[in-house]
Amino acid sequence: MSERPRPLPLIGTPRHGARDAMTCQYRCGNACDHPVPNTSANPYFGDLVEAEVSRRGVVRAGAVGALVLGFGGTVAGALAGAGPAAAAPATPAAPVAPAAAPGGGVGSGALTFKPIPPNKLDTLIVPNGYDHAVVIKWGDPVVPGAPAFDLHGQTAAAQAKQFGFNNDFVGVLPIDRKRALLVVNHEYTNEDLMFPGFTGQDALSVEQLRVAMAAHGMSVVELERVDGTGRWRPVGHGRRPYNRRVTALATTFELTGPAAGSAWLRTAADPKGRTVVGTLNNCAGGVTPWGTVLSGEENFNQYFVGGDGAPEELKPKLARYGIPTDARYPSGSRKWDRADERFDLAKHPNEAHRFGWVVEIDPFDPDGKPRKHTALGRFKHEGANVIVAENGHVVAYMGDDERFDYLYKFVSDKKFMPGNSWVARKHNLTLLESGTLYAAVLTGNSAGEIDGTGQLPSDGAFDGRGRWIRLVSGNRSYVDGMTAADVLTFTRLAADKVGATKMDRPEDVEPSQLTGKVYVALTNNTDRGKAGKAPADEANPRNLNKHGQILELVEDRGDNTSETFAWSLPIVCGDPADPSTHFAGYDKAKVSPISCPDNVAFDATGNLWIATDGNALGSNDGLFATAIEGPERGHLKQFLTVPVGAETCGPFITRDNRSVFVAVQHPGEITGASVENPASTWPDGDFAKPGVVVTWRLDGGPVGS
């Protein structure tokens, strides 16, 4: 451990936007160094101002503003005004249907705070009138009795009781007025920044590999409100029966849905194909109306080796999921096979098929087995977000985070049962086990006018129409030559066959619970328009797209189960001074620059909030907000920035609009950094630690009013 900060390491070659090469290695296994997995012929549619930093690291950037932001209107209940505490682990406190109007006191929704300026400060910056605190960070205790964190004496057994590494999705579910459960994903590990003296994967001991495996997964932590404010902290006493770690090392998952038990999911360790050990690369997620959490398994491909020794007939399928089949140890390999041979595809070729699913965990049932829902398909899930349609069916929207991959939605066979009865809860826990899975096809209405520069067509908008193409419904496949189990296990290949529209890294996809409109973060694609690659089109209007855009879908008749929709691009990201950017027609002299949207979220008043990953404009990543209805639509304003090298993840606002949670993922993740030579010393001043932060208004009022 270094006693004082040293000069920053050199920044590595960026790939995704301005993402550092170190992040590319550990987060996605150097995906951009490998061929694009989608080789189908489907049509591609796709002045840092003066600021005073307080002792808490808060930038005072103007008068007290009205901040509104949030994550997923699917929050299970209001943290203020929730019902009585749960009587039993399987009964959460007062779930609220997502279409319900927010309760009183949430504010007007006017975004009047003074925007944070772009910066490269190694701290978390929020507007004047707000404060923030670290809620929990890597190595902090989760399970009662967990040992104190020991940087130089890490063990898998200890890590399995402590807060895991790089945190992404954040969900907060109420227990009562003063307590809540924090649920967090731990997407991936960076051994350079975890282990002192790290020299390479081959030099790691088997125990260190197991530490990394235990640092993946999820954490459930009981929180308590601090003195009636918007601040929250972990409960540090008592039984804390809900506290739990879910890991890649030892947690058992149940497979559900039509593909469960199929030949594709059977292994020597699980000949029935119904039980999986661990979850991998959990990225974004969502909170359901029935009080559970959904988590998306994303870049699972990087954990497997031995693709060259897999059966020949399986190699094309592995390659479509980004698993190289020409080398035992691909670039960026973690070599986990040294700790567990199931990660060797030459010995266990079906093990990779058991990852890439949407996971559902019930944080109020600490003894319950988490589930992987095969009915929602298998791909690189950024996450899944749910809305209850007017007809009662549940609709989940999903993105496949890969260059040139697709948008999906799932419509349940069963209908949502409102209420908190045991009968309703038992029923709703089955909603994602059967239904219809669709892939999206988009077409533009300004053919011949898209030249790759981002210039608006003559009708003044990037827009068009779209269709949801059925892939599978229950055990019935709609894809020629593929069974239902084939479609669900190799969903990418099924979507290729039906001509789904290639998109630019569709990440978070989330419906507004107030309007039903759906918003998609298309992060970037610097391969667009390169030789041999698809050029710009109306949904992706710039070649060499390094800043990304926001897509808005409006389902026909306002019915989220509809099979047709309209689409538009309200925001084309980048520097507002760049003529290729677009902010829903709002005066660009008044908006904040934004690059590489990753997560989208909503507050209780319906504003859209956007978190970024890989800002290609030279600033730290941050969180932004804009109205999406009315005269302020497109008036984008930056609310916070995260420390050097970090990504902004998992924005979540409580339904009383008093607390804003953000995950600070991979601080200091810059090529050349190490534990001894950190590029960031956030949050404790020694070495970088990923963590979750809560922000609140100092005067106690609702953020956003």
Side-chain angles (χ1 to χ4, degrees), residues 251 320 340 346 417 427 443 456 465 475 509 611 630 665 682 696:
T251 305
R320 184 64 181 89
D340 191 333
M417 185 179 295
H427 169 83
T443 55
L456 285 169
R465 296 285 302 164
N475 287 306
V509 186
Q665 184 169 242
W682 186 90
W696 67 97

Side-chain angles (χ1 to χ4, degrees), residues 448-539:
E449 295 188 52
I450 307 302
D451 62 5
T453 67
Q455 181 178 348
L456 285 169
S458 57
D459 65 0
F462 298 116
D463 57 3
R465 296 285 302 164
R467 295 180 295 127
W468 293 107
I469 307 300
R470 294 186 183 190
L471 299 178
V472 62
S473 185
N475 287 306
R476 178 183 178 184
S477 169
Y478 293 93
V479 183
D480 290 343
M482 299 182 77
T483 67
D486 293 342
V487 171
L488 294 172
T489 308
F490 305 108
T491 309
R492 284 182 165 183
L493 291 166
D496 291 345
K497 283 196 170 190
V498 302
T501 296
K502 296 180 178 179
M503 306 296 290
D504 280 354
R505 291 187 60 209
E507 297 212 33
D508 206 9
V509 186
E510 185 151 353
S512 166
Q513 304 295 328
L514 300 182
T515 68
K517 298 178 182 179
V518 182
Y519 296 82
V520 185
L522 297 170
T523 301
N524 55 40
N525 187 348
T526 54
D527 277 3
R528 173 181 294 278
K530 287 184 177 179
K533 304 290 178 66
D537 54 47
E538 193 158 358

Side-chain angles (χ1 to χ4, degrees), residues 112-200:
T112 60
F113 66 91
K114 185 175 181 178
I116 291 298
N119 68 84
K120 293 289 290 183
L121 300 175
D122 190 28
T123 187
L124 193 129
I125 309 299
V126 298
N128 185 53
Y130 292 83
D131 206 348
H132 73 274
V134 175
V135 178
I136 192 168
K137 63 185 183 296
W138 173 48
D140 285 350
V142 170
V143 178
F149 180 66
D150 181 357
L151 178 66
H152 297 276
Q154 299 179 61
T155 67
Q159 179 63 87
K161 297 179 180 181
Q162 298 162 339
F163 196 68
F165 206 68
N166 280 325
N167 31 232
D168 198 298
F169 169 76
V170 174
V172 182
L173 294 83
I175 298 175
D176 55 32
R177 294 177 182 270
K178 297 181 180 181
R179 296 183 299 150
L181 295 183
L182 173 73
V183 184
V184 180
N185 283 352
H186 300 294
E187 186 174 1
Y188 69 99
T189 53
N190 181 330
E191 284 73 4
D192 272 283
L193 304 183
M194 290 178 67
F195 299 115
F198 177 80
T199 59

Side-chain angles (χ1 to χ4, degrees), residues 398-410:
M398 301 168 286
D400 187 345
D401 184 8
E402 188 89 67
R403 295 165 293 165
F404 310 114
D405 260 294
Y406 309 128
L407 295 176
Y408 298 88
K409 85 171 179 180
F410 167 87

Side-chain angles (χ1 to χ4, degrees), residues 473-671:
S473 185
N475 287 306
R476 178 183 178 184
S477 169
Y478 293 93
V479 183
D480 290 343
M482 299 182 77
T483 67
D486 293 342
V487 171
L488 294 172
T489 308
F490 305 108
T491 309
R492 284 182 165 183
L493 291 166
D496 291 345
K497 283 196 170 190
V498 302
T501 296
K502 296 180 178 179
M503 306 296 290
D504 280 354
R505 291 187 60 209
E507 297 212 33
D508 206 9
V509 186
E510 185 151 353
S512 166
Q513 304 295 328
L514 300 182
T515 68
K517 298 178 182 179
V518 182
Y519 296 82
V520 185
L522 297 170
T523 301
N524 55 40
N525 187 348
T526 54
D527 277 3
R528 173 181 294 278
K530 287 184 177 179
K533 304 290 178 66
D537 54 47
E538 193 158 358
N540 307 276
R542 295 176 295 186
N543 288 326
L544 306 178
N545 175 21
K546 61 182 179 180
H547 297 304
Q549 58 263 11
I550 298 295
L551 177 74
E552 179 184 77
L553 304 181
V554 182
E555 302 273 25
D556 284 354
R557 302 177 306 280
D559 178 4
N560 290 92
T561 68
S562 174
E563 294 188 350
T564 54
F565 57 88
W567 68 265
S568 65
L569 298 181
I571 297 177
V572 179
C573 299
D575 187 339
D578 184 340
S580 73
T581 59
H582 178 65
F583 293 83
Y586 200 85
D587 182 354
K588 295 202 297 179
K590 299 178 180 179
V591 304
S592 294
I594 182 173
S595 176
C596 301
D598 184 15
N599 292 129
V600 293
F602 300 93
D603 58 35
T605 62
N607 292 303
L608 177 69
W609 288 77
I610 305 168
T612 66
D613 171 21
N615 190 328
L617 292 171
S619 172
N620 290 351
D621 278 311
L623 186 63
F624 303 75
T626 180
I628 51 176
E629 305 289 337
E632 288 294 293
R633 174 178 165 91
H635 188 185
L636 188 81
K637 303 173 70 173
Q638 183 161 10
F639 173 67
L640 63 75
T641 53
V642 293
V644 170
E647 170 191 350
T648 314
C649 294
F652 186 101
I653 189 170
T654 57
R655 284 185 65 90
D656 61 1
N657 268 11
R658 295 183 66 197
S659 307
V660 176
F661 290 83
V662 173
V664 178
Q665 184 169 242
H666 60 77
E669 195 164 70
I670 295 175
T671 299

Side-chain angles (χ1 to χ4, degrees), residues 253-260 265 276 288 290 292-295 297 353-354 356-362 369-379 381 384 386 396 398 410 427-435 437 488-489 491:
F253 290 75
E254 175 189 356
L255 288 160
T256 76
L265 299 180
V276 180
T288 69
W290 50 95
T292 63
V293 167
L294 304 181
S295 174
E297 296 183 314
H353 307 155
R354 293 149 65 83
W357 304 102
V358 169
V359 171
E360 184 174 18
I361 182 173
D362 185 351
K369 186 180 293 186
R371 295 171 294 158
K372 298 191 179 189
H373 291 304
T374 69
L376 275 66
R378 175 176 165 266
F379 42 89
H381 284 276
V386 167
M398 301 168 286
F410 167 87
H427 169 83
N428 292 333
L429 286 169
T430 68
L431 290 174
L432 302 181
E433 295 181 1
S434 62
L437 182 65
L488 294 172
T489 308
T491 309

